[in-house]
Amino acid sequence: MNKPLILGLVGALSLTTAAVAQEYTASERAHRIAQDNLIIDTHIDVPYRLNKDWEDVTRATKRGDFDYPRAKQGGLNVPFMSVYIPAQLEQTPGASYQLAHQLIDSMEALAWRAPQKFAMAYSVDQVMQQQERGVISIALGMENGSPIEGDINNLYEFYNRGIRYITLAHSQSNHISDSSYDVRRQWNGLSPFGKELVKEMNNVGVMIDISHVSDEAFWQAVEISKVPVIASHSSLRRYTPGFERNMSDEMIKGLAKNGGVIMINFGSSFVTQQANRYGDIVRKQIAAINEQYGEGSEEAEKRIAEVRAKNPFPFATLEEVLNHIDHVKNLVGIEYIGIGSDYDGVGDSLPVGLKDVSTYPNLVQGLLDRGYSEEEIEKILYKNFVRVWREVETYAAKH
């Protein structure tokens, strides 16, 4: 979830989506690959979306990027639903813990209400069994470790509730780790508790997610972990220079050496430099207008509308997302790439051709067009991540 960069721009983005004319059409072969194979997407923000704006996602919805009909259309079998915890809640004791349990409850309720469509998934084997039954497996990842609240017992509790990865921090540094978005580096990486938490996550069987953390925290987590780690929803800094939230080439090499996987984020601000910098540029212009004419004044609103009309959001494209995949493949190999779309977490900033969970066949078609074999595509869709998940399960079983 990229709320600090995206949500303030939703009003402007909605004005420009219809202006995008480019279309993508997946072939019958691409649809077959999407339907015949597992598709695991490790970051979809449905729980927080429904917490703020409830809809019945067992049916087609008017809003959002995910619902059951679109998921089935796209071939999505295993959405890792993000238990997203806003960073500021850490300042209120108990608030992160409370929200995390509520969001987990909401996903359990979804599976209970529609057992012919959804089922909770706590292991690789369970995912495979439920694929055979034709239901969508709801797996859980915690985006922001603040609900742990400095107590290892809470790690065990959340594992027992189904959490299978934890993003160590989010948009602010917390009691576990420094954040890539936060200029304060209070720990110079992981906190002492964070280092112990990483070890215990290995022992329990919770995957370590290094999306959102600072570079120093990434390197420390990779060094400490005895099993591969994941970046559940990150893309490449090569295409967004200076954006620490994405991964550098050296970090990707370190991740591959660790055996981990980078799950490519689809959000336009993660994919292209132009989209990444759009928010800052437009916000500065709007701030100047508000200062000159008075925030909320008729003249200010008129001029802000003109700024947005003249500066439509520069949506990324499917082709540019594929460039990220190509680069990781060329840099370290096909074995370290997966999908972490950030659907329902990046507002209306998704690329042309990848607007919701029905569009995974477009991604498959793009990979076919670039010469990827079906075996390579299967690795990206699920096999690489399943390898990591099984290694984490196996290590925990021994410890």
Side-chain angles (χ1 to χ4, degrees):
M1 185 165 284
N2 191 32
K3 282 188 166 62
L5 290 176
I6 292 298
L7 291 191
L9 302 173
V10 170
L13 303 187
S14 61
L15 297 174
T16 60
T17 305
V20 179
Q22 196 166 3
E23 296 288 341
Y24 290 93
T25 303
S27 65
E28 183 178 337
R29 183 186 179 197
H31 280 284
R32 176 186 59 76
I33 293 170
Q35 293 295 329
D36 289 352
N37 290 284
L38 272 177
I39 295 180
I40 300 178
D41 187 325
T42 53
H43 201 87
I44 297 181
D45 278 291
V46 167
Y48 196 75
R49 164 194 160 193
L50 299 186
N51 187 60
K52 306 296 284 187
D53 181 22
W54 188 86
E55 290 183 291
D56 184 0
V57 295
T58 69
R59 304 177 180 183
T61 59
K62 295 180 180 179
R63 300 181 294 279
D65 309 324
F66 175 97
D67 57 41
Y68 178 79
R70 284 182 285 174
K72 292 297 284 186
Q73 181 183 348
L76 177 63
N77 309 91
V78 190
F80 265 78
M81 298 301 192
S82 169
V83 177
Y84 164 68
I85 307 300
Q88 66 271 17
L89 289 186
E90 176 145 316
Q91 307 309 314
T92 304
S96 295
Y97 177 87
Q98 175 76 11
L99 179 58
H101 279 295
Q102 290 173 345
L103 296 182
I104 295 169
D105 285 348
S106 74
M107 292 297 98
E108 291 178 343
L110 178 62
W112 180 83
R113 283 196 301 112
Q116 75 283 14
K117 296 179 178 180
F118 296 106
M120 301 303 296
Y122 307 120
S123 68
V124 175
D125 287 344
Q126 203 166 24
V127 162
M128 299 301 182
Q129 292 163 7
Q130 289 169 179
Q131 183 196 22
E132 294 298 317
R133 287 174 45 208
V135 297
I136 292 175
S137 290
I138 296 176
L140 298 174
M142 181 182 286
E143 186 179 20
N144 189 358
S146 63
I148 302 299
E149 296 193 334
D151 185 347
I152 290 293
N153 288 321
N154 287 338
L155 170 65
Y156 309 145
E157 183 175 339
F158 284 118
Y159 174 84
N160 289 333
R161 293 220 59 193
I163 294 296
R164 290 299 177 266
Y165 76 70
I166 295 176
T167 316
L168 301 179
H170 192 253
S171 59
Q172 297 175 15
S173 297
N174 61 15
H175 70 283
I176 297 167
S177 174
D178 290 335
S179 165
S180 62
Y181 283 130
D182 197 337
V183 295
R184 300 168 301 163
R185 299 299 160 97
Q186 59 177 323
W187 307 115
N188 294 316
L190 300 176
S191 70
F193 175 77
K195 293 174 181 177
E196 292 306 310
L197 180 66
V198 166
K199 295 175 184 177
E200 200 57 25
M201 286 170 68
N202 284 176
N203 293 337
V204 173
V206 177
M207 287 173 275
I208 295 151
D209 177 20
I210 54 75
S211 289
H212 280 289
V213 305
S214 68
D215 287 10
E216 293 85 353
F218 162 79
W219 289 111
Q220 290 169 18
V222 168
E223 181 180 0
I224 294 168
S225 180
K226 302 299 184 183
V227 294
V229 308
I230 64 168
S232 72
H233 59 307
S234 295
S235 295
L236 310 190
R237 207 175 296 174
R238 174 184 179 85
Y239 298 101
T240 56
F243 185 44
E244 189 177 347
R245 171 66 180 79
N246 274 346
M247 297 187 70
S248 69
D249 283 6
E250 287 306 307
M251 293 168 75
I252 294 166
K253 290 177 183 177
L255 186 75
K257 185 176 180 181
N258 162 268
V261 181
I262 177 172
M263 318 300 288
I264 300 297
N265 191 313
F266 294 171
S268 291
S269 67
F270 290 82
V271 175
T272 68
Q273 185 175 22
Q274 188 179 12
N276 187 263
R277 294 182 175 177
Y278 173 87
D280 289 337
I281 293 169
V282 171
R283 272 195 293 269
K284 287 176 183 177
Q285 293 183 46
I286 290 173
I289 290 169
N290 284 330
E291 184 175 351
Q292 183 174 354
Y293 298 100
E295 187 172 357
S297 70
E298 184 176 345
E299 184 64 22
E301 293 302 310
K302 175 185 173 183
R303 290 176 179 269
I304 288 170
E306 290 172 354
V307 166
R308 287 176 169 163
K310 291 177 182 178
N311 298 277
F313 185 77
F315 290 98
T317 65
L318 168 60
E319 296 300 321
E320 288 167 320
V321 174
L322 292 169
N323 291 343
H324 286 248
I325 294 174
D326 281 351
H327 185 68
V328 179
K329 178 186 175 182
N330 294 333
L331 186 68
V332 294
I334 195 69
E335 292 80 11
Y336 310 103
I337 312 166
I339 298 171
S341 64
D342 217 348
Y343 282 134
D344 279 325
V346 289
D348 190 16
S349 75
L350 290 156
V352 181
L354 293 172
K355 290 296 185 183
D356 62 35
V357 294
S358 71
T359 60
Y360 297 106
N362 290 349
L363 182 73
V364 173
Q365 184 64 53
L367 293 168
L368 289 171
D369 291 344
R370 293 196 178 197
Y372 284 70
S373 68
E374 289 197 25
E375 182 182 1
E376 290 177 317
I377 293 170
E378 289 167 8
K379 288 182 178 182
I380 294 169
L381 296 182
Y382 75 98
K383 287 184 175 178
N384 291 336
F385 181 78
V386 164
R387 169 183 57 78
V388 172
W389 195 355
R390 283 203 185 278
E391 286 189 46
V392 170
E393 288 179 335
T394 299
Y395 184 90
K398 295 177 180 177
H399 293 81

